[in-house]
Amino acid sequence: KITLYRKQLNAIMANASARPFVLGLTGGMAMGKSAATAWWRALGFRVFDADECVHKLYASGGAAVEPVERAFPGSTSVESGVDRSKLSVAVAATEREAALKTLEQPE
């Protein structure tokens, strides 16, 4: 299937302007976003994966660990960084999802 799609995409790209285009992909959990981006990578497209960036920010020593700990005490550890399940509980308990978004996406 990938070969077929590659031929179709190559035909589209041959007729496209020289300008690059950006395609966004959103969806809920378990909706196939990772599968779709893996497919695009296999076809040779460059992919920016925001989830990968957040995982790096949340990892031990990541730039988001300290701010998340200040905003949601007890949701991190030195060994593993941000514990996403503890953070989820803390966010739900305090209804402070907007505060978390501010930490993840500063202006």
Side-chain angles (χ1 to χ4, degrees):
K1 279 189 169 180
I2 288 180
T3 302
L4 173 65
Y5 290 124
R6 185 186 311 252
K7 289 178 184 176
Q8 291 171 335
L9 287 170
N10 285 340
I12 292 168
M13 295 306 292
N15 295 318
S17 69
R19 291 180 6 166
F21 66 93
V22 176
L23 177 66
L25 174 66
T26 64
M29 290 174 44
M31 297 302 293
K33 297 181 302 291
S34 295
T37 56
W39 180 71
W40 288 338
R41 282 187 176 114
L43 291 171
F45 288 91
R46 289 184 296 165
V47 174
F48 171 80
D49 188 333
D51 284 343
E52 287 178 17
C53 291
V54 171
H55 282 285
K56 289 177 183 176
L57 292 170
Y58 279 6
S60 181
V65 176
E66 187 177 322
V68 168
E69 179 61 29
R70 280 196 307 269
F72 302 97
S75 61
T76 68
S77 72
V78 175
E79 303 82 34
S80 61
V82 176
D83 182 323
R84 294 169 72 99
S85 59
K86 287 181 181 178
L87 179 59
S88 177
V89 170
V91 168
T94 61
E95 297 182 8
R96 295 184 54 203
E97 186 173 3
L100 177 60
K101 291 289 183 198
T102 302
L103 294 173
E104 290 178 349
Q105 305 167 13
E107 294 191 32

